Amino acid sequence: MACSSGSTATTSEEEKKEQRLIDAMFLCDEWKSSKGGLSTFNRELAINLAETTTGSMNIHCYVSRSDDQDREDAERHGVNLITAQTVPGSRDPLDWLKVPPPELPNPHIVIGHGRKLGTPACHIVRGTRCKWVQFVHVFCEDLGKFKETTATAVTDTIEENEEKHKMEIELCKAADAVVAVGSRLQQKYSRSLPNVEIITPGIVEKFCNESIESREHAGVLSRTLNAFKSYMFIKTFNVFMFGRATFEDLSLKGYDIVANAIGSLGGKFELTFVGSSPGEHRNVERWFLLNTCIKRKQITIRGYCTDQDELKGMFHQSDLVALPSRTEGFGLVGLEAISCGVPILVSGESGVAEALQNVEGGNAVIVGSDEDEWARRIREVSSQSPEERQANAKQLRENYRKVYSWKAECERFNRLIENVVKTANGGEMNIKVDVDDLKPEEQNMLTGMLATESVRCQEVQQPRASATSAASGSVSYPQIVDLQTLKEEIFLSIVRNYLQTTPPCSSEEHNRFKEYVKEMRLIITGTSVGSLVITVKCESLMILEELWTDYSSGHLGEVVQNCFVTEKILKELNLAELRLKTTMDIEEYNACKMFFEKDALRGW
């Protein structure tokens, strides 16, 4: 029996612990990284957050599509992968994410990304009343400056991206918290939004060599590659660029800058561009040949890479990876190259460049937007031996890891989530009632009044109450009275007489405070004794403002004093005088006000 009882107790504790876990649900269109940086960031953050918050949070990732391999990989990393159900009449996978999954109908918090995944997040918040953290990955107004306007475009790219920027801001204002990927975006969004948090991604461990066996194999491969590169050292130097070759973005991504630099350096230097759409290789090559001085024999076009192992292999094929964007929110491909331990040069107009400024050796890989500077820096890197380049690249990776660790970033993000969930008051405010002063029926029954906090906490000598006072139902004071206990007795008496739901015995006991609550259209949702705390629910912003006005003007304090300090209470507690103090927290008021303002922004 004892064992059974112990087992039951353990199970009960585990159930309670499970109930306390926060269910955090990431939104993304995929688990793998076939669509680029956002998917990679989402997966890496989810994986590392799951590892960091084991025992305090359940991490779910809600995706529009997945396969068995995705689900197994997510489960292996402690993430519950949920696949959205299709929606009749819609072929857009993002529409499917707007419906909360039956596997998790009531998450505590949903995490959206940008315009694409922010809108589904808003729909889920509307349906579940959960909290919402919104990530920003790009600054659209900057993108519009450099995107090419095609001849068939209905609107120009500057106007189009101005509208996209407005949409990003609308989503951020409706969310409960906003997080920027890197300090560059944080600075830009802070001009329009208060309290923009920041996460700087850490090393992508999948691109590193994880096991001893793989390190040994990588060492052999590295030595072989270096030997080959040393042989080719006097012949060619190959620069790789990675990205998605949409024609409006080719200039934005600065591909022409590096192509012109390579063209100016001569035939020893070659460029491999990885990012063509299927069937567009020749058109992409034609763009480079028409818009830059690079020669056909210097450039190789490859298709966009959706497999991370293949991508990792191509990183190692390069002598140098270039990220020359004219503007870039962060530039995760640059971080992937750093994670691989391969040489890299990045544009100073990228978020990863700002992160590298805080890393020892980071400034050495940052380049401006001038083609001549890129040519000079590429030539400088090419003058190093393959072994020297690799050693510098690996050292940069370790230095980056020291400054930006996923563990530290996720611990901070965990605190943000806990604070957001904790402040989910749903329009509730606490009215705190304390004893400001009291005087017993007989002047010498207490040695002093509760004028200061130190006096309140003291124990004072009391004469025994008379048999008459005890018989009449008043409090019988012992020889030594703990004033905190007396305060609690006062609050218990108030709750018993005026806040319980039992009907009054006479018209004299009619609860005027409840009348006030009814008149104000408040709802009492709970009370607690210590200091008497009355929790009321405001159904609208107008009701909240009326309550706060009453508190600020002192009217609420008068209502509390007049309703709770009655002849009945004084007689019951053998008091000649009792003065109460009423307080409300301005931070709680602001949080409650924000709750209603967010509701309005979300269309409620």
Side-chain angles (χ1 to χ4, degrees), residues 338-379:
I338 292 171
S339 301
C340 260
V342 300
I344 185 171
L345 290 176
V346 301
S347 164
E349 296 299 323
S350 63
V352 69
E354 291 207 9
L356 285 167
Q357 289 175 13
N358 299 317
V359 175
E360 183 180 353
N363 284 312
V365 302
I366 300 172
V367 189
S369 57
D370 182 69
E371 294 172 0
D372 292 337
E373 183 181 355
W374 273 92
R376 178 177 60 81
R377 297 294 294 278
I378 291 171
R379 186 187 294 276

Side-chain angles (χ1 to χ4, degrees), residues 241 250-264 271 287-288 291-293 324-326 347 367-375 378:
M241 293 192 300
L250 291 172
S251 178
L252 165 69
K253 295 297 184 180
Y255 299 142
D256 57 311
I257 296 174
V258 169
N260 278 322
I262 295 293
S264 70
L271 175 64
W287 182 89
F288 276 101
N291 291 279
T292 73
C293 66
S325 301
R326 287 183 165 87
S347 164
V367 189
S369 57
D370 182 69
E371 294 172 0
D372 292 337
E373 183 181 355
W374 273 92
I378 291 171

Side-chain angles (χ1 to χ4, degrees), residues 102 166 176 223-224 257 286 305 311 318 325 340 367 412 481 496 524:
K166 289 178 181 178
D176 296 291
R223 287 191 293 273
T224 303
I257 296 174
R286 186 178 296 113
C305 183
L311 180 63
S318 69
S325 301
C340 260
V367 189
R412 190 167 69 253
V481 175
R496 188 167 55 246
I524 298 178

Side-chain angles (χ1 to χ4, degrees), residues 178-227:
V178 179
V179 183
V181 181
S183 60
R184 178 181 175 88
L185 287 173
Q186 183 196 38
Q187 293 165 18
K188 289 181 177 291
Y189 275 96
S190 293
R191 299 169 190 163
S192 305
L193 301 165
N195 305 320
V196 179
E197 301 294 333
I198 177 176
I199 281 186
T200 302
I203 291 297
V204 184
E205 295 297 337
K206 189 170 184 178
F207 284 90
C208 301
N209 300 314
E210 297 173 351
S211 65
I212 295 175
E213 292 81 4
S214 64
R215 282 200 298 271
E216 290 175 349
H217 175 72
V220 173
L221 178 62
S222 176
R223 287 191 293 273
T224 303
L225 283 171
N226 283 340

Side-chain angles (χ1 to χ4, degrees), residues 76-245:
R76 188 164 57 250
H77 289 97
V79 178
N80 176 35
L81 196 63
I82 305 173
T83 307
Q85 298 177 2
T86 58
V87 175
S90 175
R91 300 295 182 267
D92 184 356
L94 293 179
D95 283 345
W96 309 343
L97 295 175
K98 295 176 182 177
V99 182
E103 298 93 330
L104 188 66
N106 292 294
H108 294 106
I109 193 162
V110 63
I111 298 159
H113 299 274
R115 289 176 297 105
K116 282 176 56 179
L117 295 157
T119 300
C122 185
H123 278 268
I124 288 175
V125 171
R126 282 181 174 181
T128 65
R129 308 288 286 189
C130 68
K131 308 302 278 186
W132 172 15
V133 174
Q134 177 71 1
F135 274 83
V136 288
H137 295 258
V138 297
F139 196 76
C140 292
E141 285 191 319
D142 283 351
L143 301 182
K145 298 173 185 177
F146 301 106
K147 278 180 175 282
E148 294 289 343
T149 302
T150 61
T152 58
V154 178
T155 60
D156 68 47
T157 55
I158 294 178
E159 180 183 1
E160 181 184 16
N161 280 276
E162 178 193 9
E163 185 60 29
K164 288 180 179 179
H165 177 70
K166 289 178 181 178
M167 293 164 67
E168 291 267 12
I169 296 297
E170 287 173 6
L171 289 166
C172 290
K173 286 182 176 179
D176 296 291
V178 179
V179 183
V181 181
S183 60
R184 178 181 175 88
L185 287 173
Q186 183 196 38
Q187 293 165 18
K188 289 181 177 291
Y189 275 96
S190 293
R191 299 169 190 163
S192 305
L193 301 165
N195 305 320
V196 179
E197 301 294 333
I198 177 176
I199 281 186
T200 302
I203 291 297
V204 184
E205 295 297 337
K206 189 170 184 178
F207 284 90
C208 301
N209 300 314
E210 297 173 351
S211 65
I212 295 175
E213 292 81 4
S214 64
R215 282 200 298 271
E216 290 175 349
H217 175 72
V220 173
L221 178 62
S222 176
R223 287 191 293 273
T224 303
L225 283 171
N226 283 340
F228 174 74
K229 289 176 181 179
S230 295
Y231 171 74
M232 297 296 292
F233 187 45
I234 58 171
K235 293 188 176 181
T236 61
F237 184 83
N238 205 328
V239 178
F240 273 58
M241 293 192 300
F242 297 83
R244 193 181 290 275

